[in-house]
Amino acid sequence: MSYLAGKELRIVGFLCNWCSYGGADTAGVGRFKQPTDLRIIRVPCSGRVNPLFVVKALLNGADGVLVSGCHPRDCHYSDGNFYARRRLEMLKRLLPFLGIDERRFHYTWVSASEGARWKNVVTDFTKAIHELGPFHQKEEKTECS
Amino acid sequence: MFIEKLKEAVRKILPEVDVVIGYRQGFDPLHATPYFLDKPEQVDQLIWNPLCVQNLCSYIPFLKGKVGVIVKGCDSRAIVQYMQEKLITRENIKVIGVPCLRVISVKKVMAAINQQTVQEVTFEGDNIIVKIPEGPKTIPSADVAPRKCATCQLATPLQYDVLAGEAIQSNKPQDTFEETKEFEKLSLEERRAYWEKEFDRCIRCYACRNACPMCICQDKCIAESRDPHWTSQRANVTEKAMFHMIHGLHLAGRCISCEECERVCPMDIPVAKIKKKISMDLKELFGYEAGMNPDDTPPMYTFKVEEATIEEHEI
Ligand code: SF4
Ligand code: SF4
């Protein structure tokens, strides 16, 4: 797996407590081999994910951001992911307008029992980010401090 | 004279409200400035001409009691949006509507006269005549109008309690988001370079936010708060971009396209462009336009179990 050979990249994952975090746990318990670039932040619900979390992460050092929640109709709070879907879709369309490759941001749904699916999501997303390369190679603009 | 009709409307409404917001002459003939009046003798100071550009609705959420306000078509979308979001009690607002076909951008006039001193301004038909030291200069109004006027469909305000003058129809073509679509044809790198250059000039004066009729929480704006600390005081382009993303995303489904943000920017940053892109997507995805119908629900405040227009993304 060549994309794992080089340096790790920084990928931030916002996972809902009830489904996707459980799914990641299932994948761990199942001892699936997964890339380790992803840093997981557990949130109560994908509806808790303010699109600005994603923007802030991307602007401040992340090379990719993944948001994962319960499948539509399976939200623990019944409708959090429905709101999330609208917000995240708007963000997905806005990012390229500002010159940020939309492939650096992905949102999807993984349930607590879908350990294998989780493994695939992480592996594929990590691979995609490695293909895009680091997001922040340029020097920061000079700051007045 | 139209101004007499307007004054008459204001005089009639004044006893019913605590304050009326209108326009009076600013520091030079080219500038109109917002005017708050509560006494009948102040009514004669009111003016009305295409230079009355400010969206006076922006003050309403910050005022207590009953308020009278002069609104143009584009401004009236703010009233509708406040109603959708239940930010005002409509009965407490007396809307004095003015029919309008076009306003004039002060910045564009100043550019056309090379930033010279303005001695006098008159309007004749579809022209504005600006007297500068070297003599009068006639400029077609359409050449110096803000871009929003070129596609404005609201010659008569959507909401009014009194209309000064006659209701008129717009004679403009619909907005087809041509500019946004053109911009999207640029490569990712070009777009990123464009915004880096534009945002770099931003001095974070927050004028764009302060003038925004929908930035109703500006006293507690997260762009300035330390807790949560969304943006730092660093003067780099990352922090500036972050502020613009905050402003843009907080207006998703709420921006009424008055383009006040862009008008007030001292650094000429095309901030409305971001909002326009969001508005275009909202129209495409949810068939929604902010500030058009008081009974609409903003698309980010609701959902559908099956979203016909949103497809799952592959990695
Ligand atoms: S008005 Fe212009 S300079 Fe001021 S914060 Fe907004 S974009 Fe930046
Ligand atoms: S940018 Fe957001 S937080 Fe700041 S005033 Fe506007 S809506 Fe409120």
Side-chain angles (χ1 to χ4, degrees):
Chain A
M1 285 196 193
S2 62
Y3 66 93
L4 285 176
K7 224 174 117 235
E8 266 197 6
L9 290 179
R10 247 186 280 182
I11 302 176
V12 179
F14 294 98
L15 273 54
C16 86
N17 181 49
W18 304 99
C19 294
S20 297
Y21 197 84
D25 208 29
T26 308
V29 171
R31 296 187 166 268
F32 293 132
K33 210 167 155 49
Q34 301 168 54
T36 51
D37 305 48
L38 185 79
R39 275 83 162 156
I40 294 175
I41 297 173
R42 178 159 61 153
V43 289
C45 173
S46 54
R48 173 66 184 92
V49 180
N50 182 337
L52 289 168
F53 290 175
V54 178
V55 175
K56 180 87 181 159
L58 283 173
L59 289 181
N60 289 273
D63 300 300
V65 180
L66 175 67
V67 176
S68 185
C70 307
H71 286 276
R73 294 175 196 272
D74 280 346
C75 176
H76 183 77
Y77 306 100
S78 80
D79 54 15
N81 54 0
F82 290 136
Y83 289 104
R85 183 168 56 190
R86 286 196 162 195
R87 293 174 192 153
L88 297 172
E89 181 64 22
M90 287 305 293
L91 180 69
K92 182 111 179 143
R93 287 168 170 242
L94 180 62
L95 289 175
F97 194 76
L98 292 137
I100 302 174
D101 198 316
E102 74 261 39
R103 287 172 296 178
R104 293 196 183 272
F105 164 58
H106 183 61
Y107 72 96
T108 189
W109 325 112
V110 176
S111 81
S113 59
E114 293 175 318
R117 176 169 151 75
W118 174 256
K119 182 205 122 177
N120 290 338
V121 167
V122 179
T123 311
D124 294 349
F125 189 61
T126 308
K127 188 163 173 231
I129 297 302
H130 275 264
E131 274 162 13
L132 289 169
F135 184 39
H136 298 265
Q137 71 258 92
K138 272 197 281 174
E139 274 291 297
E140 276 261 294
K141 286 253 154 99
T142 30
E143 301 174 7
C144 319
S145 49
Chain B
M1 275 286 280
F2 176 77
I3 184 68
E4 289 314 321
K5 283 188 196 150
L6 183 65
K7 286 180 183 169
E8 194 189 305
V10 173
R11 274 198 201 95
K12 226 163 76 199
I13 270 179
L14 203 51
E16 303 168 34
V17 296
D18 299 306
V19 65
V20 171
I21 321 171
Y23 304 90
R24 73 168 163 184
Q25 201 52 58
F27 66 91
D28 78 355
L30 199 56
H31 288 80
T33 197
Y35 185 40
F36 289 64
L37 57 144
D38 54 7
K39 295 180 198 68
E41 58 269 28
Q42 292 173 306
V43 173
D44 273 328
Q45 294 234 29
L46 284 173
I47 60 160
W48 175 258
N49 63 42
L51 292 163
C52 296
V53 283
Q54 295 90 344
N55 182 350
L56 301 176
C57 297
S58 306
Y59 295 108
I60 297 176
F62 303 96
L63 295 172
K64 295 203 175 71
K66 296 202 176 221
V67 181
V69 60
I70 294 177
V71 305
K72 306 180 284 291
C74 48
D75 308 338
S76 72
R77 288 177 69 181
I79 302 277
V80 175
Q81 194 63 21
Y82 292 150
M83 290 164 76
Q84 273 184 33
E85 299 185 22
K86 306 197 171 41
L87 294 169
I88 56 166
T89 311
R90 182 64 181 82
E91 297 75 63
N92 288 344
I93 313 294
K94 289 279 171 216
V95 180
I96 304 157
V98 283
C100 161
L101 279 173
R102 184 182 290 122
V103 288
I104 285 173
S105 153
V106 173
K107 278 184 197 165
K108 287 190 180 170
V109 173
M110 287 307 280
I113 57 166
N114 278 327
Q115 319 290 331
Q116 295 184 67
T117 313
V118 178
Q119 294 165 331
E120 204 189 313
V121 172
T122 44
F123 302 94
E124 229 182 73
D126 253 349
N127 296 320
I128 171 172
I129 303 160
V130 188
K131 203 165 149 224
I132 46 178
E134 62 198 41
K137 193 173 158 107
T138 305
I139 315 167
S141 303
D143 294 358
V144 284
R147 90 183 137 191
K148 65 173 176 180
C149 297
T151 53
C152 173
Q153 300 296 308
L154 302 176
T156 303
L158 286 166
Q159 291 274 326
Y160 55 82
D161 297 296
V162 215
L163 186 67
E166 299 292 318
I168 47 172
Q169 287 289 320
S170 156
N171 51 4
K172 319 277 174 57
Q174 289 256 359
D175 188 5
T176 48
F177 298 101
E178 266 340 295
E179 226 186 286
T180 312
K181 288 176 190 155
E182 267 315 299
F183 184 75
E184 289 191 317
K185 286 186 190 146
L186 298 177
S187 73
L188 265 183
E189 289 69 31
E190 285 167 323
R191 277 176 258 166
R192 187 168 167 187
Y194 173 89
W195 287 112
E196 269 181 21
K197 184 161 159 274
E198 295 297 327
F199 287 157
D200 204 25
R201 289 202 309 280
C202 173
I203 53 173
R204 274 166 81 190
C205 63
Y206 301 126
C208 48
R209 177 205 62 189
N210 295 356
C212 175
M214 298 320 295
C215 269
I216 35 107
C217 47
Q218 51 188 258
D219 297 342
K220 296 204 164 55
C221 179
I222 62 162
E224 284 178 281
S225 116
R226 291 272 172 104
D227 182 19
H229 205 182
W230 281 94
T231 57
S232 77
Q233 291 94 322
R234 273 186 228 120
N236 60 27
V237 75
T238 310
E239 302 293 313
K240 295 171 185 179
M242 189 67 209
F243 163 62
H244 288 288
M245 290 299 272
I246 292 174
H247 190 35
L249 288 173
H250 281 183
L251 291 167
R254 310 179 57 235
C255 169
I256 54 151
S257 313
C258 63
E259 299 187 5
E260 281 289 88
C261 46
E262 212 162 291
R263 180 183 67 79
V264 298
C265 178
M267 305 306 289
D268 262 328
I269 297 168
V271 269
K273 206 174 179 137
I274 303 168
K275 286 136 204 164
K276 198 138 199 187
K277 154 72 178 162
I278 298 177
S279 300
M280 180 180 92
D281 288 347
L282 285 164
K283 196 167 175 188
E284 200 179 303
L285 286 175
F286 310 115
Y288 176 85
E289 268 182 285
M292 297 305 281
N293 180 351
D295 301 324
D296 281 351
T297 307
M300 294 294 127
Y301 293 13
T302 182
F303 61 83
K304 284 203 185 107
V305 173
E306 301 292 342
E307 298 279 7
T309 46
I310 304 179
E311 280 171 31
E312 293 223 4
H313 297 277
E314 302 289 324
I315 291 175

